[in-house]
Structure formats: structure tokens, C-alpha cells
Amino acid sequence: MSHDYAVTDGHALLSLHRYLEDVRHMVIFDDLVEYGHHRVRLYLPDAAFQLLKQAESKGIVKIVHHEEIINGLYTPETNRQKKGHKRKPR
């Protein structure tokens, strides 16, 4: 997945952070404050994800990709659709 999004920093795709009990989100985002290309992947709990969304609304970061995580695994497409999530077209 990292080659699809050109991730340059943050957690590795198979990072053990994704298995932490409170982690619910995998987010790839561009840091708009840094000079040059700085794309980050993080595994975050709900509270940190809300802070990241606030930073996006202030123009500090731009969320490129988001996946929900349950027990370290990405939620299946069917579960996301049932919850009303829409996949962004590429």
C-alpha cells in the first residue's frame, strides 16, 4: 500500500501500533506545513483521529487515505458500506 501513496514517514504498513487496543484508524496524510513532499502514515485512536481532522480543517494537513481498524485488521469493504462510509474515487 505504501507505494500507492508514496508514504515517506510515520508507522510502517505492518507496524505493531495497529494492534494496540484503542487504535481504530489508519490514516495517510500530507503535512502541509513541511517544505517538500512529506506524506505520513499513522495508526491512531479515535481521539487522535479527531485532532487530525481538526488540523485538516485548519489547513495544516490533508488526509489522503483513511481506513478503519479493528483488532489490527482493516475493516472489510462491506462493513464500511454498512456504516455509511463511502470510498473516495481515485
Side-chain angles (χ1 to χ4, degrees):
M1 180 182 290
S2 61
H3 67 277
D4 293 339
Y5 293 99
V7 172
T8 57
D9 201 5
H11 298 138
L13 183 60
L14 299 177
S15 170
L16 295 179
H17 290 296
R18 69 193 276 179
Y19 295 103
L20 294 174
E21 188 174 300
D22 61 343
V23 168
R24 294 290 179 260
H25 306 274
M26 186 281 299
V27 184
I28 298 174
F29 62 93
D30 288 331
D31 182 352
L32 302 177
V33 177
E34 290 284 327
Y35 295 104
H37 181 76
H38 190 72
R39 187 162 281 182
V40 183
R41 175 191 297 111
L42 294 177
Y43 293 97
L44 302 170
D46 285 326
F49 179 65
Q50 294 306 320
L51 290 174
L52 188 67
K53 286 176 57 176
Q54 288 176 6
E56 183 181 37
S57 69
K58 294 177 183 177
I60 298 170
V61 300
K62 180 181 180 229
I63 296 175
V64 177
H65 186 74
H66 169 253
E67 291 281 345
E68 290 184 12
I69 303 279
I70 297 177
N71 297 327
L73 302 173
Y74 299 106
T75 57
E77 182 76 25
T78 55
N79 285 349
R80 287 195 308 262
Q81 288 174 349
K82 287 179 187 175
K83 292 181 182 180
H85 295 283
K86 296 180 182 175
R87 188 173 202 118
K88 293 180 182 177
R90 291 186 184 191

